[in-house]
Amino acid sequence: MIKKENTEAEKGRAIALLPIGLFLVIFLGAGVITKDFYAMPAIVGFLIALFVAFLQNKKLSFADKIKVIATGAGDENIVTMLLIFLCAGGFSGAVTAAGGVESTVNFGLSILPAKIAVVGLFIIGCFISLSMGTSMGTIAALAPIAVGISEQTGFSVAICIGAVVCGAMFGDNLSMISDTTIAAVKTQGCEMKDKFKANFLIVLPAAIITIVIFFFITRNLDVNVSNDLPYNLWKVVPYIIVLVGALAGINVFIVLISGIVISLIVGVVTGSIAVGEIFNVVGNGVTSMYDITVISIIVACIVSLVKEYGGIVFILELIKKRIRGKRGGELGIAVLSLLVDLCTANNTVAIVMAGPIAKEIGEEFEISPKRSASLLDIFTSVGQGMIPYGAQLLSAAGLTGLTPFMIMPYLFYPMLMAVSGVAYILFRKKQIKQS
């Protein structure tokens, strides 16, 4: 931060939030006008916002502003987050090329009774997304299976793909290698395993109730899944190793790199990956994370200028006028997270944007970092799992020939996750302050 006798950040200024507000107006405006919320790449909107941030506050020279954003983008948590993004992408590329996704899906479907096929889709989606760390990858892997089960069982495609999306959002919110988890823990400054434990206790009731609901609405149909579902248990091993290693608290870089190496070995031994392609499959996975990596850097730059100009202080002052105590602070983080995701249609970007503000709220109201990280991840996932213009529902609809609105009535898990999150805030017992 630039040292001055009186910095702008010492007092709140609403005008400092102009870059963020401008981004939301441009992004949402482009979506409404074109009826396509992905017509404007998010990075373009953020670059415009960064340009506007540079035009603000003439008391700081251009060189000083460069120093501010360099400090913000070079923060230890931001750099670590970016490196983890790239490693997670490498693992996803390697394990997918090795056939791990297909084998894991088929293995699960092979051991589940046909009568609970829809429940099985949700449970398998939970496992895949938890292990894979991506809701989009889970939906892409399971959508064809969901359509096949619908054709064989008589369950509607909407119910089947709804179960897939619900399962995908379970892991997107919880997985140790999910970009949302990475962003949440790094912006709040806590350990992944601590966030996982706190998060899991909150969403577990929602997952259990979702299973019960899917079971009851599909229990009376006579089903028979007859397709051959080949799988290779060796190809499931990389997922298991990454999940167990992450839960055991092993350094995330060691876990991910181990997962990459093991995936490549399994892929080569089973013939899924040619020796000459091992670097390409990892490279393709890393490349898939470039967008969120660059966006995270730009957002860090914007937030650093907004904070320098007094925008964060303004929000804190606004929140303090309307909430009281720790519960109020937690509700503030929840609402902030949800609203930013509804506007950006990207839960990782929403966490990166709201993270610094949530951190300030947490410090002000003595909310532990693992709790604020959980709330960030939960409520951005609630929004992302339900908005019809989000990538998850658009992808699910595109892969099944449905519309997002046909799937939305069956998104029980995101709805229940919101209820569970709010209930946990309002009715949990008062606890001693945690670090």
Side-chain angles (χ1 to χ4, degrees):
M1 200 64 64
I2 303 302
K3 294 181 179 179
K4 305 183 292 293
E5 290 185 3
N6 292 293
T7 64
E8 295 291 330
E10 288 178 357
K11 53 184 177 180
R13 295 178 182 275
I15 192 64
L17 299 171
L18 177 62
I20 296 176
L22 181 63
F23 165 76
L24 298 179
V25 170
I26 293 174
F27 188 79
L28 289 176
V32 171
I33 293 172
T34 63
K35 297 181 179 180
D36 178 5
F37 282 86
Y38 291 88
M40 169 180 279
I43 185 61
V44 176
F46 281 121
L47 285 173
I48 295 173
L50 181 60
F51 175 73
V52 171
F54 265 100
L55 294 179
Q56 289 184 287
N57 196 349
K58 295 182 179 179
K59 294 181 180 179
L60 283 182
S61 67
F62 181 80
D64 284 340
K65 292 173 182 176
I66 290 292
K67 291 178 181 178
V68 171
I69 67 170
T71 301
D75 181 82
E76 178 185 356
N77 289 329
I78 296 296
V79 173
T80 302
M81 177 177 69
L82 300 178
L83 291 176
I84 295 176
F85 281 165
L86 299 180
C87 288
F91 171 70
S92 178
V95 76
T96 301
V101 175
E102 182 181 2
S103 281
T104 305
V105 169
N106 289 349
F107 172 69
L109 289 175
S110 297
I111 62 176
L112 286 171
K115 272 191 171 293
I116 58 169
V118 174
V119 173
L121 280 172
F122 172 67
I123 294 173
I124 295 169
C126 290
F127 177 74
I128 294 296
S129 58
L130 190 63
S131 304
M132 198 176 188
T134 166
S135 55
M136 294 298 292
T138 302
I139 292 170
L142 286 178
I145 302 296
V147 173
I149 287 179
S150 173
E151 293 173 348
Q152 296 180 52
T153 63
F155 298 143
S156 75
V157 178
I159 291 177
C160 293
I161 197 64
V164 168
V165 174
C166 287
M169 296 314 299
F170 178 85
D172 189 274
N173 169 243
L174 277 177
S175 175
M176 297 287 191
I177 60 173
S178 169
D179 48 6
T180 59
T181 293
I182 296 166
V185 300
K186 290 305 174 184
T187 57
Q188 302 309 295
C190 65
E191 294 294 328
M192 285 192 180
K193 61 179 181 179
D194 293 333
K195 181 265 183 187
F196 177 89
K197 293 174 183 176
N199 209 152
F200 185 74
L201 292 175
I202 298 174
V203 302
L204 181 60
I208 293 173
I209 296 173
T210 299
I211 290 174
V212 173
I213 292 174
F214 276 125
F215 175 77
F216 273 97
I217 65 176
T218 62
R219 71 188 187 281
N220 292 324
L221 287 181
D222 186 22
V223 299
N224 180 30
V225 179
S226 58
N227 279 0
D228 183 34
L229 297 170
Y231 59 87
N232 185 328
L233 289 178
W234 286 110
K235 294 182 179 181
V236 184
V237 170
Y239 281 134
I240 296 175
I241 289 177
V242 167
L243 181 59
V244 172
L247 289 174
I250 299 174
N251 181 277
V252 66
F253 289 108
I254 296 176
V255 170
L256 289 174
I257 293 173
S258 298
I260 292 172
V261 173
I262 294 169
S263 297
L264 293 175
I265 292 173
V266 170
V268 171
V269 171
T270 59
S272 299
I273 303 175
V275 175
E277 292 294 315
I278 59 175
F279 297 113
N280 285 336
V281 299
V282 175
N284 291 337
V286 171
T287 301
S288 70
M289 300 297 284
Y290 282 179
D291 283 352
I292 190 60
T293 299
V294 174
I295 286 175
S296 296
I297 294 172
I298 300 301
V299 169
C301 294
I302 294 171
V303 171
S304 62
L305 286 175
V306 168
K307 186 174 183 178
E308 178 70 16
Y309 299 163
I312 304 297
V313 172
F314 173 78
I315 291 176
L316 287 173
E317 291 174 345
L318 192 65
I319 291 175
K320 281 190 285 186
K321 292 178 182 177
R322 289 166 171 75
I323 60 179
R324 295 291 183 273
K326 182 178 289 187
R327 282 190 175 86
E330 291 177 354
L331 285 173
I333 292 174
V335 172
L336 172 70
S337 304
L338 179 60
L339 290 179
V340 176
D341 183 76
L342 294 179
C343 293
T344 60
N346 185 308
N347 48 342
T348 306
V349 171
I351 289 173
V352 172
M353 289 185 68
I357 300 174
K359 177 69 172 175
E360 297 281 351
I361 295 173
E363 292 175 350
E364 177 69 24
F365 294 97
E366 298 184 342
I367 301 169
S368 67
K370 66 180 180 181
R371 196 181 305 282
S372 61
S374 296
L375 294 173
L376 268 175
D377 210 345
I378 287 172
F379 284 93
T380 53
S381 292
V382 166
Q384 195 64 29
M386 296 178 64
I387 53 177
Y389 52 89
Q392 284 74 9
L393 279 186
L394 290 175
S395 174
L399 290 168
T400 56
L402 303 174
T403 67
F405 296 100
M406 295 170 68
I407 304 171
M408 288 174 67
Y410 304 104
L411 299 178
F412 305 117
Y413 179 70
M415 300 176 196
L416 291 168
M417 185 163 51
V419 174
S420 183
V422 172
Y424 184 79
I425 292 172
L426 296 179
F427 302 115
R428 67 177 174 80
K429 294 181 180 180
K430 188 174 181 180
Q431 296 179 353
I432 299 174
K433 179 185 173 183
Q434 296 172 307
S435 59

